[in-house]
Amino acid sequence: MSIICGLENENYKYVYGTINDYEIPFSEEKQLSLTACRNDWAAAQLLIYSENSMVVCINDDTYFHNTENVDIIRVKIDIPGIDRKNVQANLVGLVRDDDNQLKSDIILNQPYIYVEPRKVQAVWIEATIDSDQKPGKYDAVVTVYKHKMFDDEEVIKQLTFEIHVVDVLLKDPREYSFYLDLWQHNSNIARKYDVELWSDRHFEIIERYISALADLGQKAISVIVSEIPWSGQLKFYDDRNYPSDLFEYSMVKVTLSENGKWNYDFSSLNRYIRLCFKYGIDKEIEVFGLINIWLSEKAGFGNIVEDYCDSIRIRYLDEKTGTYKFIRNKKDIYSYVHALEKNFIESGWIDKVRVVADEPHDLELFRKRMAELKKMAPNFKYKAAIDKVSFMEEEIDGMNDYVPSLECVCSEFERLKNIRDSIDGKLLYYVSCIPDRPNTFICSPLLEARLIPWLSWYFNLDGFLRWNFTVWPEKPLEKISYRYPIWKAGDTNFVYPGKDGSPMLTLRYKNLKRGIRDYEIFKLFVEKEDKDIMLDMLKNVFLWNDVSDLLPEKQKKPEELYSLKYSDYDDLIEKIVVQLEDKIS
């Protein structure tokens, strides 16, 4: 059999490891027509299949395989009228899911890959559409070449797809209205690259991850100001089969001088904040480690400050003894938190600061903890990830931003709508290891990642929060599945650690990015049209009778709740942007 090639859309996910592996899971004849705005991007996937082993290359370098005389397949992309530097091809890598099947996920940074017989190799094709790109139709030409050893190359397939650029200008991601908050775990980045925490090399690598966040339109900066604030929440020390270090460490160095004076070094903290500002991530500084730290007394992660109502862990160097210790009294906690507040005030950032509480359940204890922090730092504002609307109805003084879980939103939607206007700050929603659907696991349909920002718009929320970006287990490129079934594969990450110090993006990242871009298009549309028109158009995607149908206990199948057809999403967006183009012209 000859080599088979075909085109698929950006949300295609190849699965290898089923009884149907000897079937070709795509059509050679599929036609693609993509729609993009100015200052936008368009993407497709090339799929290549052979009954024999092969090497697929995406650049012009010479390549010989070191063990086999295999077919060398080279892929070239041309889009006349679009600058060549704006056209990119990447190989798509497979990862092993919890069900032991290999599935498309990683957008690789490497130029070639060896492919076993009867396994599909996907190539991600992306075109960046500049803000000054002339509207019109552009034909993308995908040429596939083949040769062996010293044979001349021959063209074995040429495929085309269309990109329709409409005359609608989108904002840059840093100017998006969608409020994205993906928590950052920089200690984990240092571990995976074996670099010293907060060293110049660490910051050099961090910057590349910040750039990837900025390309999504990230708004919040995560800073850690005490030791291992998530220790009790994660309980990763319980996994004896695949032990992984996920601890996050403080960005502040504390010293007790020989004369008994406390010194606080905020240089790494401030350097990180300024680096995020450089990339337009500048709307919020979310501070972790000051309130509602989860405990695990059984594992030894308890409260070490006897006269204080929370488990803040501040490590310091005692210069007199030359040993490291932990602060164990409330007075010294007060001194530290007050100094932290002063640093934010003097830097001009205090209005951006939000002290974050992760799922506080005991309201009275939470009030007590807030009262203590207000004595130390009266200028702090607060933010909480919650699972009950009743928490928001308490109108706790100092609470500014709320992030209810998706289940909370769906179970108490009417109550949430009634108090929406009374909230001073931002109102987002989050998913985590629950619910199963919709979510951003490797097992999730990729359209669910795109759907997440659509739900934010429908619920009249400002954006979306998720705890994961780089919370990789020990060897993420070998095994991303971790703590299943509590966490499903992909729960911990949207990117993977690349060998060159750069993040390797994922199909899930790209589909989330697409959904955020869609959200901005919705916003543009309702500025010119009645919102009810938009809601009516969404009925082709949102299939539920009531938002409570999304709750797990309703046991609805995903296809009963929202469309899993790519065309329903893209046709709707095309319809909207064409109408916008007509109104602009």
Side-chain angles (χ1 to χ4, degrees):
M1 179 186 289
S2 61
I3 292 169
I4 306 300
C5 303
L7 293 171
E8 264 294 355
N9 56 58
E10 62 192 28
N11 87 306
Y12 175 85
K13 181 186 293 187
Y14 172 56
V15 179
Y16 179 81
T18 70
I19 60 174
N20 297 318
D21 286 337
Y22 292 101
E23 298 179 6
I24 302 172
F26 62 88
S27 169
E28 292 184 84
E29 309 303 325
K30 184 161 185 175
Q31 301 295 309
L32 291 184
S33 179
L34 310 178
T35 300
C37 301
R38 294 188 292 120
N39 199 29
D40 196 3
W41 56 286
Q45 294 187 64
L46 167 68
L47 306 177
I48 307 172
Y49 173 91
S50 174
E51 288 192 345
N52 302 312
S53 56
M54 60 181 173
V55 171
V56 177
C57 306
I58 54 168
N59 67 9
D60 296 334
D61 293 347
T62 306
Y63 182 83
F64 286 86
H65 194 260
N66 58 358
T67 61
E68 294 182 58
N69 182 11
V70 299
D71 288 326
I72 307 297
I73 309 300
R74 182 170 66 91
V75 176
K76 182 182 179 184
I77 318 296
D78 290 300
I79 309 178
I82 294 179
D83 196 321
R84 181 175 291 276
K85 67 179 175 58
N86 288 347
V87 180
Q88 183 176 348
N90 290 84
L91 298 163
V92 178
L94 304 177
V95 299
R96 195 170 298 280
D97 202 354
D98 301 308
D99 58 7
N100 209 37
Q101 294 181 341
L102 293 170
K103 299 175 183 177
S104 297
D105 193 42
I106 311 178
I107 298 177
L108 299 168
N109 293 338
Q110 65 200 53
Y112 56 83
I113 191 169
Y114 174 81
V115 186
E116 297 170 349
R118 301 184 182 93
K119 184 184 283 187
V120 173
Q121 180 56 50
V123 179
W124 179 264
I125 301 168
E126 184 171 322
T128 299
I129 310 300
D130 287 335
S131 58
D132 59 355
Q133 184 71 47
K134 183 179 178 181
K137 292 186 178 181
Y138 299 84
D139 291 322
V141 181
V142 181
T143 307
V144 183
Y145 304 85
K146 183 186 81 168
H147 83 284
K148 278 189 177 182
M149 295 296 288
F150 301 103
D151 293 342
D152 292 342
E153 274 189 335
E154 60 175 315
V155 175
I156 60 169
K157 191 75 173 182
Q158 196 163 71
L159 303 155
T160 62
F161 63 92
E162 181 183 87
I163 301 175
H164 178 204
V165 178
V166 298
D167 193 10
V168 174
L169 180 64
L170 300 182
K171 296 179 180 178
D172 290 330
R174 68 175 56 191
E175 298 172 346
Y176 282 173
S177 58
F178 186 82
Y179 204 91
L180 181 65
D181 182 5
L182 301 182
W183 291 353
Q184 299 118 58
H185 296 74
N186 290 308
S187 296
N188 209 22
I189 291 176
R191 278 190 294 274
K192 292 303 176 286
Y193 290 99
D194 293 321
V195 297
E196 182 182 348
L197 196 62
W198 315 125
S199 62
D200 288 345
R201 178 59 178 150
H202 186 204
F203 272 101
E204 179 185 330
I205 295 169
I206 284 173
E207 183 166 4
R208 299 174 187 180
Y209 284 81
I210 292 173
S211 177
L213 281 168
D215 286 345
L216 288 173
Q218 172 78 6
K219 298 292 186 280
I221 304 166
S222 303
V223 298
I224 315 297
V225 298
S226 72
E227 306 298 348
I228 58 172
W230 288 294
S231 59
Q233 177 186 12
L234 298 175
K235 296 184 181 178
F236 41 80
Y237 36 79
D238 287 342
D239 193 329
R240 304 303 179 190
N241 295 321
Y242 188 27
S244 297
D245 182 354
L246 304 185
F247 289 125
E248 285 297 312
Y249 297 106
S250 178
M251 306 173 82
V252 182
K253 293 181 179 179
V254 181
T255 304
L256 181 62
S257 65
E258 292 189 15
N259 64 8
K261 181 181 178 182
W262 288 104
N263 296 306
Y264 309 105
D265 181 357
F266 298 112
S267 58
S268 294
L269 173 78
N270 294 346
R271 181 178 179 180
Y272 182 68
I273 293 169
R274 291 190 178 98
L275 187 58
C276 290
F277 283 178
K278 173 183 171 182
Y279 285 85
I281 304 173
D282 57 7
K283 297 297 184 291
E284 176 187 337
I285 302 168
E286 51 187 2
V287 178
F288 294 94
L290 293 185
I291 194 168
N292 205 66
I293 298 165
W294 288 28
L295 304 177
S296 183
E297 299 281 359
K298 179 182 177 181
F301 298 103
N303 192 349
I304 64 172
V305 184
E306 293 182 359
D307 57 345
Y308 191 63
C309 57
D310 214 336
S311 52
I312 299 175
R313 303 153 185 147
I314 308 298
R315 182 176 182 255
Y316 69 94
L317 174 63
D318 186 337
E319 289 188 336
K320 189 174 183 179
T321 64
T323 59
Y324 282 95
K325 303 176 180 178
F326 284 87
I327 291 176
R328 299 188 183 276
N329 64 77
K330 184 165 65 174
K331 176 177 68 70
D332 292 334
I333 294 288
Y334 267 50
S335 176
Y336 173 72
V337 176
H338 178 71
L340 183 65
E341 179 195 43
K342 183 180 178 182
N343 173 71
F344 288 131
I345 292 172
E346 291 178 349
S347 300
W349 304 332
I350 192 63
D351 290 340
K352 299 177 186 290
V353 170
R354 299 292 183 271
V355 176
V356 181
D358 193 356
E359 296 184 346
H361 297 296
D362 186 329
L363 184 58
E364 291 310 309
L365 179 58
F366 181 73
R367 287 184 185 276
K368 183 178 179 181
R369 289 169 171 171
M370 274 194 66
E372 290 281 14
L373 281 174
K374 286 179 180 179
K375 293 176 185 176
M376 310 179 213
N379 293 288
F380 282 163
K381 293 179 181 178
Y382 295 81
K383 171 180 176 178
I386 58 173
D387 56 13
K388 289 183 175 60
V389 172
S390 58
F391 185 95
M392 301 165 62
E393 293 172 331
E394 292 291 329
E395 298 183 351
I396 301 170
D397 184 39
M399 285 300 307
N400 200 78
D401 306 282
Y402 296 91
V403 191
S405 67
L406 177 58
E407 290 186 58
C408 174
V409 172
C410 294
S411 63
E412 304 181 85
F413 188 48
E414 292 303 318
R415 290 175 71 184
L416 186 65
K417 287 198 298 185
N418 290 336
I419 64 172
R420 176 70 175 91
D421 293 338
S422 66
I423 296 170
D424 292 332
K426 296 296 181 182
L427 181 59
L428 319 180
Y429 84 96
Y430 76 92
V431 298
S432 55
C433 57
I434 53 175
D436 286 343
R437 300 279 177 88
N439 216 306
T440 62
F441 308 129
I442 292 168
C443 66
S444 305
L446 281 169
L447 277 171
E448 290 186 354
R450 185 176 187 176
L451 176 77
I452 278 171
W454 290 43
L455 290 176
S456 293
W457 187 89
Y458 179 84
F459 294 142
N460 192 29
L461 304 178
D462 296 304
F464 173 70
L465 178 150
R466 212 180 189 296
W467 73 291
N468 70 325
F469 190 61
T470 60
V471 199
W472 309 296
E474 196 65 21
K475 297 179 180 180
L477 296 179
E478 297 177 21
K479 183 181 178 183
I480 196 63
S481 179
Y482 181 62
R483 294 191 71 219
Y484 179 80
I486 300 171
W487 295 348
K488 292 182 173 61
D491 190 18
T492 61
N493 69 308
F494 272 120
V495 299
Y496 291 84
K499 293 179 181 179
D500 63 352
S502 299
M504 292 188 291
L505 308 181
T506 63
L507 299 181
R508 293 174 290 128
Y509 170 103
K510 290 293 186 179
N511 275 263
L512 176 64
K513 182 178 180 180
R514 178 65 73 203
I516 295 170
R517 165 265 207 178
D518 296 340
Y519 180 100
E520 298 303 310
I521 289 173
F522 294 164
K523 287 281 191 178
L524 281 174
F525 186 78
V526 297
E527 288 175 5
K528 301 182 180 298
E529 287 284 3
D530 191 280
K531 186 175 181 179
D532 288 339
I533 297 175
M534 182 76 239
L535 290 171
D536 188 61
M537 294 168 73
L538 283 170
K539 290 179 181 178
N540 286 333
V541 171
F542 297 153
L543 308 178
W544 59 73
N545 293 317
D546 185 87
V547 294
S548 63
D549 289 341
L550 288 162
L551 294 170
E553 56 263 32
K554 294 296 184 74
Q555 297 184 330
K556 297 281 189 178
K557 295 178 180 178
E559 56 268 25
E560 297 178 275
L561 299 170
Y562 40 82
S563 174
L564 292 175
K565 292 172 57 180
Y566 174 81
S567 59
D568 286 340
Y569 292 74
D570 236 41
D571 289 351
L572 189 150
I573 292 297
E574 180 179 17
K575 182 178 180 181
I576 291 172
V577 296
V578 168
Q579 288 188 36
L580 282 171
E581 182 179 44
D582 290 341
K583 290 181 179 297
I584 292 170
S585 60

